[in-house]
Amino acid sequence: MNSINSLSQGFAVQADVVRADTVQVVQEASGLFSWTWLLIALPLVGAAVLLLGGRRLDRTGHLIGSAAAIGSFVVAVALFIALLGESGGERSYLVPLWEWFNAGGYEVRVDLLLDQLSMAFVLLITGVGSLIHIYSIGYMEHDERRRRFFGYLNLFVASMLLLVLAADYLILFIGWEGVGLASYLLIGFWQHKPSAAVAAKKAFVVNRVGDMGMVLAIASMLVVFGSSSFEVVFAGAGSGVTTGWLNAIGLLLLLAACGKSAQFPLQSWLLDAMEGPTPVSALIHAATMVTAGVYLVVRSAAIYDLAPEARTAVVVIGAITLLMGAIIGCAKDDIKKALAGSTMSQIGYMMLAAGLGPAGYAFAIFHLITHGFFKANLFLGAGSVMHGMNDEVDMRRFGALRAAMPVTFATFALGYLAIIGLPPFAGFFSKDKIIEAAFAENILIGICALLGAGITAFYMTRVMLLTFFTSKRWADDAHPHESPRVMTWPLIGLGALSVAGGAGLLYIGGGIVDWLEPVTGEEHHDLPLPLALLIALTLTTVVAGVALAWFMYQRRPVPAVAPAGNPLVTAARRDLYGDAVNEAVLMRPGQYLTRSLVYVESRGVDGAVLGAANAVGGLSSRWRRWQTGFVRSYALTMLAGAGLVVIAMLLVRLP
Amino acid sequence: MTAPSIEYAALLPMIIVLGAGVVGVLVEAFVPRRPRHAVQVGIALLALVAALVQVVRLRDTEIIGAVGSVAIDGPALFLQGTLLVMAIISVMFFAERRIESGGNAFAPAASSLPGSEDERVLVRDRVLQTEIYPLTMFSVGGMMLFPAANDLLVMFIALEVLSLPLYLLCGMARRRRLLSQEAAMKYFLLGAFASGFFLFGAAFVYGYAGSLEFAAIDAALAARVGQEGLLLAGVGLMAVGLLFKIGAVPFHAWTPDVYQGAPSQVTAFMAACTKIAAFGAMLRLFYVAFGGIRTDWQPMLWAVAIITMVVGIVVALTQTDVKRMLAYSSIAHAGFILTALVAVDEVAIAAILFYLAAYGLTTLGAFAVVTLVRDAGGEATHLSKWAGLGKRSPLLAATFGLFLLALAGIPLTSGFVGKLTVFAAAFQGGAMPLVIVGVVTSAVAAFFYVRVIVLMFFSDPAPEGPTVAVPSAWTVVGIGAAVVATIVLGILPGPLLELAEQAAVFVR
């Protein structure tokens, strides 16, 4: 066995952090675990086959793609069972693959790290990913580019898996960029819609801003630790690195996480990403891609534990985003956008929890997984509604669909109950834990989280009422119908998970918190108020939100065109001026900068550059005169060159 | 006096290849015209594969054989193996007959006047040029000897053996023969000129050291026998001969003209293999023979490396012809490799060995793609014709794009790992300024590589654009091998790097 240091030993012990008794030792993988690479290889090969295979695979492409994703899920389940067979402290395996390069004292190895944290993500990605594949068989049935779509989906799954399994930030970054590329392709899949193309571009550009954070973070690690592997970085974080560096790295990683996870101030792309594409790709972003940022923060726990300022920043960003997303979700008439706002808000909860340190890491992941269940359920439900309504997305054109689409309605309702956090549905357990932890940390943060729960209840009730209750407001040519089975079965599966997932994860076999504890550590703060009171308070807030929505939408007729609202509503409809802010803060100054640069360049720099260019051009044309012509000029050059070489040799010898 | 002992087993790879050349000449004389092409291709491939097998079997050999004139050691065998792989792929490209509808890329008879009645008859009768195969074998044999030569005279002979057939091959293009013949003529005259410098330098060095063998020269350097001026001038002049072969500035002028005029298959062969052989020879000469006076020649090579990188990249920026652009790119790559060469240690040798293998395969593939983009006049090499190629033929454009990215040194391609190792070696050798120039010029270079990708994928196709020929399995397999190598060496370079590191010791 290699002398592999313990990863979690690496993060040094803070006074108030209570670590697990069992020290998590990273072992070199053997047996079944050495097959971990198969998780990534299956969808990657699937993507290669589908994208390079050409037309002859058009008929079977969707089956190949789904088989690759499901195969990966089967491997994941097998690995999970094998991990369960190990004792708590021995569930971390390093799977060495190969050395990528080793140059100038900087070594990058392509290794995979399978531990409790990555296992949870692998199950989520492959599980939800497989359901999306199956669902897409039906949803994309009439699209002639279905094979390509499945190729992109496979690419997405493979990249996402590489992201969560990598044992080196640089390898993680490759998966990170792969996810960015796949999402660009998926958002812009229906390129014939200009909105889709623009949205794809926007997602790409905004993500690049976050990626800069990632690149700089990796560069800083190289400077400080001389390596970007988890092993070295986490071990080094605890030994003598200044807090300043750790804070810097933490903040840069946070910037990266904000980009991928659509957190303030890089949130704007997610809402637009809902504009163009299919609900399917909307979902793959909402349920999987946006969790990458949360993963990054939790994985970097060793850094954040020792970087209090960076951690505070994570909490603040999480709190801002959770409120922003919720407010935006209240004002959207497009069902996918309402859900997208809700996603932002829920990811905000996770970030907030992750920022609380060891007290919150496990709950962040817990909520992430339950959210994966119910948000997938809701998005697929929305897709099912759209499928039956001629791709209509405006909720003001829905209404009273519960009779026409009973299965969709029932499963959507389960997802709804889960997200607003009513017991005993999944969201209750996970969200409640975060609110508890938030209150224990700081009363203000706790109030933000509580308020968010109330607003969530309001906007989700609104979505529910406008879609399935109230009166019919259908377009004239709409004939709503239930979706085919290949679409409803995934809904039913996810519906069941929305009901039982939360309690199941929390209580069965010691639950997710114990499972993750060797990776994330554990910490308890005392609540400032009794737990029962807090739960009662949360539920009251939720019920108040539901009731408000009921009075506003069920008791009053819904106008077909959105009425003018107060400034807050208008602001929310415009994504709280996220784009305007981007425009004012980034785009305009950027344009001014480019313009002034162009000006400076055309006047000043161009003088120099053009001068240089002219000089180069002059040289070039002189060379070209030699080039077009005669051997004698070539020979002359060579002779002159030879003379110079000999003179240079002789000159060096002169004292 | 006893007869000299020759280590035939160690020399067997070269003997096989040169022997196949001789057999090929006999085939020209005795085998009827109809089966001749197949026979020649068969002999060539068989000999190359057999030689490759023998090289692999020799892998741990370390001897100085043939009475001190040939060294078979790690670098020599690594480079011979690399050369043989490239030569196999090149012969596969030569054997391509589908894109010229039955003919190959060469004129049926090199002596016939372009466009004359003779030629028309030959074309009509589907006469195939087959002398190219023995010529190629001779050239490959010379290339294999070049990096193994351990003696000034053998090195010169190897230089001539590899060069003379190449001059001929360059002049035999089926299309645009005048351009081709002009290129051959220029290459020949300048090559002869450069050989003259090399021989002159060798004579000076002999005059100083009193021996042709590298070990003896090294010993003479250590003994400081005086008359240093003779030695320094000799080293400089020999450097000129070798720098000419690798296409370093200011001895590069032939490169664009010859690369453009020669049949693209020959250009591919030449660009990949000549560079490998010449860098191998240069490594041995400067490390084994002249290693003792490295402080004398390092400044000169520093200067050459810098102007080679700068000139190669700057002039490449304004090129409008694909083949000329690749030619200038090859000049710049010679500069990148030179940065490591001046470092003089084993890390540098390993880096150069890896770089040559990676670069060679990518270049072979890139020139082979050029042969497939055609219009009525043959290959459409003007860049404007390549606009929108990605829309017409996405697979071909993606392949070429991959090669360009590798040449630009983008991560996950072989070019990135190659550049990284070369610059790391230069950095460790204390050549920081070279690394800075290398990185800056690489950044500039990315512009014109990516510009071609943008042109292919984001421009509208020209209305009367070229068509993409459908090649036979020969070319497809060759390009496929280059693609696989470019990707695999980018993602999983470990095994080859390790091999290069193990091979990086010269026998002295």
Side-chain angles (χ1 to χ4, degrees):
Chain A
M1 201 175 106
N2 269 359
S3 57
I4 297 168
N5 294 340
S6 151
L7 281 183
S8 50
Q9 257 182 328
F11 30 105
V13 183
Q14 265 187 315
D16 56 342
V17 179
V18 183
R19 286 288 166 207
D21 304 329
T22 50
V23 172
Q24 174 94 334
V25 177
V26 182
Q27 317 175 45
E28 185 150 356
S30 58
L32 182 63
F33 297 109
S34 53
W35 290 89
T36 305
W37 57 270
L38 209 57
L39 284 171
I40 303 172
L42 281 172
L44 194 64
V45 169
V49 167
L50 290 176
L51 294 177
L52 300 176
R55 299 234 165 75
R56 73 201 86 145
L57 291 178
D58 273 354
R59 280 154 174 260
T60 52
H62 53 285
L63 298 178
I64 296 172
S66 306
I70 293 169
S72 190
F73 178 61
V74 170
V75 176
V77 170
L79 287 170
F80 178 59
I81 292 169
L83 269 193
L84 282 178
E86 307 286 331
S87 71
E90 292 168 0
R91 286 174 178 157
S92 182
Y93 284 92
L94 189 75
V95 189
L97 294 182
W98 68 81
E99 180 182 73
W100 186 22
F101 58 77
N102 181 355
Y106 174 39
E107 185 189 20
V108 177
R109 297 190 48 85
V110 182
D111 292 344
L112 304 180
L113 176 68
L114 186 76
D115 63 1
Q116 293 91 332
L117 180 61
S118 42
M119 193 70 241
F121 273 88
V122 166
L123 284 173
L124 179 76
I125 294 161
T126 54
V128 174
S130 298
L131 287 175
I132 296 167
H133 276 77
I134 296 170
Y135 177 93
S136 306
I137 295 175
Y139 192 86
M140 300 297 286
E141 198 176 355
H142 306 296
D143 196 303
E144 57 189 25
R145 291 159 70 227
R146 179 164 71 166
R147 170 182 58 83
R148 190 178 286 241
F149 185 80
F150 275 82
Y152 294 159
L153 280 184
N154 270 347
L155 180 66
F156 185 93
V157 171
S159 308
M160 200 65 204
L161 287 170
L162 179 64
L163 197 165
V164 299
L165 283 169
D168 186 304
Y169 279 101
L170 197 70
I171 308 297
L172 183 151
F173 187 58
I174 294 174
W176 188 270
E177 288 300 304
V179 170
L181 170 69
S183 90
Y184 171 77
L185 294 169
L186 284 170
I187 296 175
F189 188 72
W190 285 344
Q191 313 138 332
H192 54 87
K193 277 191 184 173
S195 59
V198 171
K201 220 179 272 179
K202 181 166 175 182
F204 202 71
V205 170
V206 174
N207 266 298
R208 288 291 80 68
V209 178
D211 291 351
M212 278 314 294
M214 191 77 176
V215 171
L216 291 175
I218 294 175
S220 312
M221 287 173 199
L222 288 181
V223 171
V224 181
F225 305 111
S227 168
S228 56
S229 81
F230 289 170
E231 188 191 337
V232 178
V233 171
F234 296 165
S239 51
V241 178
T242 60
T243 316
W245 269 114
L246 291 176
N247 273 326
I249 294 175
L251 288 172
L252 288 168
L253 288 175
L254 174 63
L255 179 63
C258 284
K260 241 346 152 240
S261 288
Q263 297 294 291
F264 175 82
L266 299 177
Q267 80 286 2
S268 61
W269 66 269
L270 184 65
L271 290 157
D272 281 27
M274 303 299 135
E275 181 89 52
T278 66
V280 179
S281 54
L283 158 69
I284 201 154
H285 292 92
T288 48
M289 174 168 161
V290 290
T291 60
V294 181
Y295 171 79
L296 186 69
V297 173
V298 175
R299 176 56 84 194
S300 309
I303 294 169
Y304 284 103
D305 281 355
L306 301 172
E309 282 79 16
R311 233 170 70 181
T312 311
V314 177
V315 173
V316 171
I317 295 285
I320 293 176
T321 314
L322 98 85
L323 289 176
M324 259 184 96
I327 293 170
I328 291 173
C330 294
K332 290 292 172 186
D333 290 334
D334 177 330
I335 185 166
K336 284 187 297 172
K337 287 199 166 187
L339 291 177
S342 145
T343 301
M344 264 172 68
S345 157
Q346 300 298 318
I347 303 281
Y349 271 111
M350 298 168 208
M351 283 301 236
L352 191 157
L356 297 178
Y361 292 137
F363 301 135
I365 303 300
F366 182 27
H367 192 55
L368 190 151
I369 292 173
T370 56
H371 173 255
F373 296 152
F374 58 67
K375 188 51 64 70
N377 181 358
L378 291 170
F379 262 113
L380 293 186
S384 178
V385 170
M386 287 164 55
H387 195 67
M389 295 290 284
N390 298 339
D391 288 330
E392 178 66 71
V393 291
D394 188 353
M395 289 191 286
R396 294 183 187 278
R397 293 267 163 214
F398 296 160
L401 287 171
R402 64 182 182 281
M405 306 180 166
V407 180
T408 306
F409 164 66
T411 54
F412 197 92
L414 295 177
Y416 158 74
L417 292 170
I419 193 175
I420 65 172
L422 280 187
F425 297 95
F428 164 73
F429 297 97
S430 53
K431 201 189 286 181
D432 204 57
K433 287 288 176 197
I434 295 179
I435 296 175
E436 267 175 43
F439 265 107
E441 173 87 8
N442 180 316
I443 191 94
L444 195 65
I445 300 292
I447 290 174
C448 284
L450 188 65
L451 204 59
I455 307 178
T456 306
F458 172 79
Y459 69 74
M460 281 313 299
T461 310
R462 173 173 174 270
V463 169
M464 194 70 195
L465 292 175
L466 287 180
T467 307
F468 293 104
F469 294 88
T470 59
S471 56
K472 291 181 192 174
R473 301 175 303 277
W474 307 342
D476 295 336
D477 57 347
H479 304 287
H481 56 84
E482 189 56 270
S483 299
R485 286 214 185 131
V486 72
M487 290 170 70
T488 52
W489 277 110
L491 282 177
I492 293 169
L494 287 167
L497 286 171
S498 305
V499 177
L505 280 172
L506 194 58
Y507 296 118
I508 292 175
I512 187 163
V513 177
D514 283 357
W515 166 260
L516 288 171
E517 194 227 297
V519 183
T520 58
E522 202 185 4
E523 185 181 81
H524 266 298
H525 291 290
D526 290 330
L527 275 175
L529 65 175
L531 183 59
L533 179 63
L534 184 59
I535 294 179
L537 203 60
T538 312
L539 289 179
T540 316
T541 320
V542 167
V543 171
V546 172
L548 184 63
W550 172 267
F551 282 111
M552 280 182 68
Y553 296 99
Q554 185 66 16
R555 302 293 297 274
R556 284 191 256 164
V558 179
V561 179
N566 59 40
L568 181 64
V569 174
T570 317
R573 281 188 187 138
R574 296 191 185 159
D575 306 344
L576 293 181
Y577 301 113
D579 283 337
V581 171
N582 279 351
E583 213 174 292
V585 177
L586 296 174
M587 203 179 94
R588 292 258 172 71
Q591 281 177 343
Y592 283 129
L593 190 66
T594 14
R595 263 184 228 143
S596 46
L597 277 183
V598 166
Y599 180 80
V600 171
E601 186 180 293
S602 59
R603 295 296 163 97
V605 182
D606 258 19
V609 171
L610 277 180
N614 282 336
V616 171
L619 278 178
S620 177
S621 59
R622 210 169 306 158
W623 283 326
R624 281 194 172 184
R625 267 210 296 281
W626 299 336
Q627 257 3 105
T628 50
F630 306 102
V631 179
R632 57 175 186 254
S633 357
Y634 294 4
L636 193 64
T637 329
M638 282 176 58
L639 185 64
L644 285 175
V645 164
V646 171
I647 290 170
M649 293 285 301
L650 293 173
L651 276 182
V652 171
R653 225 0 126 76
L654 289 178
Chain B
M1 184 178 156
T2 52
S5 72
I6 304 288
E7 292 74 2
Y8 286 105
L11 305 181
L12 196 56
M14 288 177 271
I15 296 173
I16 294 174
V17 172
L18 291 170
V22 174
V23 174
V25 173
L26 294 176
V27 167
E28 285 298 313
F30 296 113
V31 174
R33 184 173 276 168
R34 195 170 284 275
R36 202 186 287 161
H37 187 261
V39 171
Q40 288 283 27
V41 172
I43 290 173
L45 286 178
L46 208 66
L48 292 170
V49 171
L52 186 59
V53 170
Q54 179 63 14
V55 164
V56 173
R57 287 177 57 196
L58 285 170
R59 58 189 171 277
D60 291 324
T61 315
E62 252 196 17
I63 59 161
I64 295 183
V67 207
S69 61
V70 177
I72 300 297
D73 55 6
L77 288 169
F78 186 97
L79 291 170
Q80 288 183 345
T82 316
L83 278 167
L84 287 166
V85 171
M86 314 272 169
I88 290 170
I89 297 177
S90 303
V91 168
M92 288 166 67
F93 292 152
F94 290 172
E96 172 66 51
R97 289 173 60 192
R98 189 177 293 169
I99 49 185
E100 282 284 4
S101 53
N104 55 18
F106 302 90
S111 54
S112 65
L113 218 57
S116 65
E117 188 56 34
D118 283 357
E119 179 158 291
R120 226 165 285 149
V121 172
L122 289 169
V123 169
R124 195 196 57 209
D125 294 347
R126 303 244 161 135
V127 173
L128 277 177
Q129 170 65 266
T130 50
E131 284 153 2
I132 50 171
Y133 296 102
L135 284 173
T136 309
M137 289 297 104
F138 287 131
S139 185
V140 173
M143 289 169 178
M144 289 167 69
L145 181 59
F146 207 25
N150 197 41
D151 164 314
L152 296 177
L153 217 50
V154 172
M155 189 170 264
F156 177 71
I157 292 169
L159 174 65
E160 292 305 301
V161 172
L162 84 87
S163 302
L164 291 172
L166 272 183
Y167 302 146
L168 280 176
L169 287 172
C170 289
M172 292 207 258
R174 176 176 285 256
R175 314 280 190 122
R176 301 196 189 121
R177 184 112 49 83
L178 289 177
L179 201 63
S180 171
Q181 287 176 345
E182 185 187 324
M185 192 65 192
K186 279 180 185 163
Y187 193 18
F188 169 65
L189 286 172
L190 294 171
F193 194 43
S195 294
F197 282 115
F198 184 87
L199 196 56
F200 215 173
F204 279 179
V205 172
Y206 177 72
Y208 169 82
S211 171
L212 294 167
E213 280 176 36
F214 288 0
I217 295 169
D218 188 45
L221 292 184
R224 301 203 162 271
V225 294
Q227 290 197 303
E228 309 268 295
L230 203 57
L231 170 73
L232 295 177
V235 173
L237 291 176
M238 291 190 77
V240 170
L242 290 169
L243 290 171
F244 173 83
K245 274 290 160 201
I246 63 172
V249 181
F251 314 105
H252 68 290
W254 62 278
T255 316
D257 289 14
V258 175
Y259 277 25
Q260 187 186 22
S264 295
Q265 287 87 344
V266 173
T267 311
F269 172 62
M270 198 160 57
C273 294
T274 315
K275 201 157 262 171
I276 294 171
F279 263 110
M282 200 163 171
L283 273 174
R284 188 179 299 280
L285 183 66
F286 280 83
Y287 282 28
V288 177
F290 302 146
I293 50 160
R294 68 186 62 160
T295 44
D296 286 308
W297 52 259
Q298 270 170 330
M300 181 269 291
L301 283 186
W302 268 55
V304 172
I306 290 176
I307 54 171
T308 302
M309 289 186 280
V310 170
V311 170
I313 295 297
V314 166
V315 182
L317 288 175
T318 53
Q319 294 306 312
T320 52
D321 183 282
V322 178
K323 285 170 82 176
R324 287 185 86 85
M325 188 198 83
L326 289 174
Y328 280 105
S329 138
S330 100
I331 293 171
H333 280 276
F336 296 143
I337 302 176
L338 279 176
T339 62
L341 199 138
V342 295
V344 199
D345 63 5
E346 278 164 20
V347 179
I349 302 174
I352 293 174
L353 294 182
F354 180 86
Y355 199 105
L356 288 170
Y359 170 77
L361 285 163
T362 305
T363 303
L364 274 177
F367 277 108
V369 171
V370 171
T371 64
L372 300 180
V373 181
R374 310 179 73 86
D375 58 15
E379 288 163 11
T381 55
H382 199 273
L383 271 176
S384 64
K385 301 253 176 81
W386 287 55
L389 201 68
K391 289 175 182 134
R392 202 169 296 160
S393 181
L395 191 62
L396 180 106
T399 307
F400 197 64
L402 173 74
F403 293 141
L404 290 175
L405 290 179
L407 290 175
I410 304 296
L412 296 180
T413 64
S414 58
F416 169 72
V417 182
K419 255 187 199 160
L420 194 72
T421 50
V422 163
F423 288 156
F427 178 71
Q428 280 179 359
M432 194 60 196
L434 287 187
V435 176
I436 293 174
V437 174
V439 170
V440 170
T441 48
S442 297
V444 178
F447 166 77
F448 67 79
Y449 293 122
V450 172
R451 191 187 55 173
V452 176
I453 296 177
V454 170
L455 188 75
M456 287 192 300
F457 284 97
F458 299 102
S459 303
D460 290 324
E464 309 236 322
T467 54
V468 172
V470 180
S472 68
W474 290 118
T475 304
V476 172
V477 172
I479 295 180
V483 168
V484 170
T486 303
I487 295 173
V488 168
L489 292 182
I491 297 174
L492 216 158
L496 190 67
L497 276 174
E498 214 164 279
L499 200 63
E501 275 162 29
Q502 283 167 7
V505 183
F506 282 114
V507 62
R508 283 162 197 274

